[in-house]
Amino acid sequence: FDELIVETATKRKQWPKKILMHAIQTMKAEQE
Amino acid sequence: MSVNPMAYEAQFFGFTPQTCMLRVYIAFQDYLFEMMLVVESVILKKLVGFPDCKISPFQIRKSTEKFLLFMKDHFDKLFSKMEEVLLQLVLNIPENVLLPEDKVQEQYPYSKEQFQALQDEIRQLQQQYKAEASAGQALRAELEEQKAVQAELEKILQWFDGLENICREHGTGNFKESFAFLTQNSKKLQDVLKEVEEKSKKIK
Amino acid sequence: PAAPSRAQVFATVVDTFLEKLVAAGSYQRFASCYRCFYKLQPEMTRGIYDQFVSQLQASIKEEIQEVKDEGNLEVLFNSLDKIAEEAQSREEPAWRPSGIPEEDVRSAVVPYLLKHRSYLRKVLKEKEEENGKVAESVLAGRERIAELQQLIQARKRAWQ
């Protein structure tokens, strides 16, 4: 349970930035 | 009983506060047990130097257990209080605090509908831009065509100008007038010729 | 006076815990439990007890330091103190993860989308202005062509 909490919390911290990066790359590629 | 997973704290610290306290509790407890064992072994070693004393290892063990039980009881109570304080005051993120990585949540609290509307607007702008870009291309293509067409038409006008210049160079200022004059003169000459022919007939 | 930092509270709480533990496990209590040995060797009993307390305190402090080093707690505590201070003026509860990732990630993407929207509006406006100018040139060109055609027609008629 503890590992799950830490894993989820770490994802909450790090993934939005990664997702944003990928979203930007995708939108730029679409634009091109 | 509900458990507070302290997930937001885990997001900041990288570990759950409860697990941190558990790790500390286990470590402290282990040290306590270890120290008690050391105490017991030291006493037993010292007793070897007193062969006449009637103290058995069993009695020492009983003493150790008694003291350890007492210490463990106080240890648990004190640790419980320490844990409570640390979880409330130190390893805790107050309710009014937003972690830096989540600042956007307060700056841009977009609902599903608002987000969809924003995406739709962007899509529409992209479509409009595409349309404008196509229109621009078409306009520039027409501009090129116009240049070619204008050039051809101007050539034709120049040809007309050229024709009139030739007539002027050969003494015909106004071609229409000279042509009319020529036609008139031809008519006069024809009339004179006719007159001369008739007079000549009369004379004969 | 400024509120104590988290690091200070942490240190104080641990010290208080140790103090009270040692106070509970007093020499009197120790001697009373090891009565038979105490009667035999009171000084040795004192010596063993002092060693026990000193070792226990040292081990516990060492463990605490290890936990602080491993978890980088000093830095984290200072950072959290700073963040909490900045949020002092705020009374209402701050945002917390909803538990629905697709909802929460929306706000992360919104700033870029807003930038993108501004950019698109700007380039669209520029394109429209540019096309407006080209359209004017095209209209002028068409008028000129019509004019030339008329001139040619007039010359043709005159010759005819």
Side-chain angles (χ1 to χ4, degrees), chain B:
Chain B
M1 185 183 82
S2 70
V3 173
N4 176 7
M6 296 186 87
Y8 208 50
E9 284 74 10
Q11 186 176 318
F12 177 77
F13 287 107
F15 54 79
T16 53
Q18 297 97 322
T19 305
C20 176
M21 295 313 302
L22 181 65
R23 179 233 161 115
V24 170
Y25 174 82
I26 291 170
F28 283 12
Q29 191 181 239
D30 285 352
Y31 287 133
L32 180 64
F33 286 6
E34 247 177 64
M35 291 301 120
M36 288 311 307
L37 281 176
V38 167
V39 162
E40 188 183 73
S41 69
V42 165
I43 292 175
L44 286 173
K45 267 196 197 142
K46 299 292 182 195
L47 278 179
V48 167
F50 299 94
D52 298 330
C53 80
K54 287 175 186 142
I55 304 169
S56 67
F58 177 76
Q59 278 175 288
I60 299 299
R61 173 46 61 101
K62 278 278 161 221
S63 300
T64 307
E65 280 174 2
K66 193 176 171 189
F67 186 67
L68 182 58
L69 207 65
F70 175 81
M71 285 297 281
K72 181 79 168 56
D73 184 49
H74 276 83
F75 171 85
D76 284 343
K77 286 184 181 128
L78 289 168
F79 193 91
S80 175
K81 282 199 186 129
M82 178 172 83
E83 185 182 32
E84 203 182 309
V85 171
L86 290 180
L87 289 182
Q88 271 182 11
L89 298 180
V90 178
L91 298 170
N92 160 272
I93 296 182
E95 270 185 14
N96 65 331
V97 167
L98 184 69
L99 295 178
E101 62 263 26
D102 295 327
K103 258 205 185 114
V104 281
Q105 300 293 345
E106 285 195 338
Q107 288 170 342
Y108 304 103
Y110 268 56
S111 67
K112 190 176 176 184
E113 292 74 27
Q114 286 173 314
F115 189 76
Q116 189 61 51
L118 180 57
Q119 282 188 308
D120 289 343
E121 194 184 338
I122 285 172
R123 216 165 283 131
Q124 201 184 23
L125 284 167
Q126 283 171 331
Q127 292 296 337
Q128 282 177 301
Y129 183 81
K130 258 195 221 171
E132 282 297 322
S134 299
Q137 264 186 335
L139 286 170
R140 270 181 280 277
E142 185 174 330
L143 217 53
E144 286 303 307
E145 264 185 56
Q146 281 180 355
K147 275 187 197 155
V149 167
Q150 278 179 25
E152 285 301 313
L153 293 176
E154 272 160 7
K155 249 201 250 175
I156 294 170
L157 272 177
Q158 277 172 6
W159 181 79
F160 276 115
D161 287 340
L163 201 59
E164 278 161 25
N165 284 341
I166 288 171
C167 295
R168 208 171 287 121
E169 274 166 30
H170 286 82
T172 317
N174 184 332
F175 193 80
K176 191 179 174 188
E177 270 180 26
S178 348
F179 200 71
F181 179 70
L182 190 65
T183 318
Q184 238 178 13
N185 278 352
S186 299
K187 186 105 176 37
K188 276 185 189 165
L189 274 170
Q190 276 179 334
D191 291 341
V192 165
L193 194 65
K194 216 174 172 183
E195 232 181 87
V196 165
E197 274 180 4
E198 276 171 12
K199 276 184 182 165
S200 157
K201 265 185 196 167
K202 273 182 186 168
I203 293 170
K204 273 186 184 163

Side-chain angles (χ1 to χ4, degrees), chain A residues 11-27:
Chain A
K11 281 179 188 175
R12 280 177 180 174
K13 181 172 183 167
Q14 294 172 353
W15 284 24
K17 276 198 191 129
K18 286 186 184 171
I19 289 169
L20 177 63
M21 220 170 64
H22 287 294
I24 291 173
Q25 275 174 4
T26 305
M27 281 188 261

Side-chain angles (χ1 to χ4, degrees), chain C residues 29-83:
Chain C
R29 176 66 60 176
F30 185 80
S32 144
C33 290
Y34 287 97
R35 192 188 297 281
C36 41
F37 186 76
Y38 168 73
K39 279 181 180 163
L40 185 69
Q41 289 289 320
E43 276 176 24
M44 206 175 281
T45 308
R46 180 83 220 191
I48 293 172
Y49 171 79
D50 288 341
Q51 278 274 56
F52 161 73
V53 164
S54 143
Q55 260 319 111
L56 185 67
Q57 282 178 323
S59 302
I60 283 176
K61 282 182 180 167
E62 206 181 292
E63 176 64 23
I64 287 293
Q65 192 55 46
E66 235 179 77
V67 167
K68 279 163 77 173
D69 291 341
E70 267 177 37
N72 201 22
L73 291 186
E74 287 276 353
V75 171
L76 289 176
F77 286 158
N78 291 340
S79 173
L80 187 52
D81 283 336
K82 204 171 161 203
I83 296 168

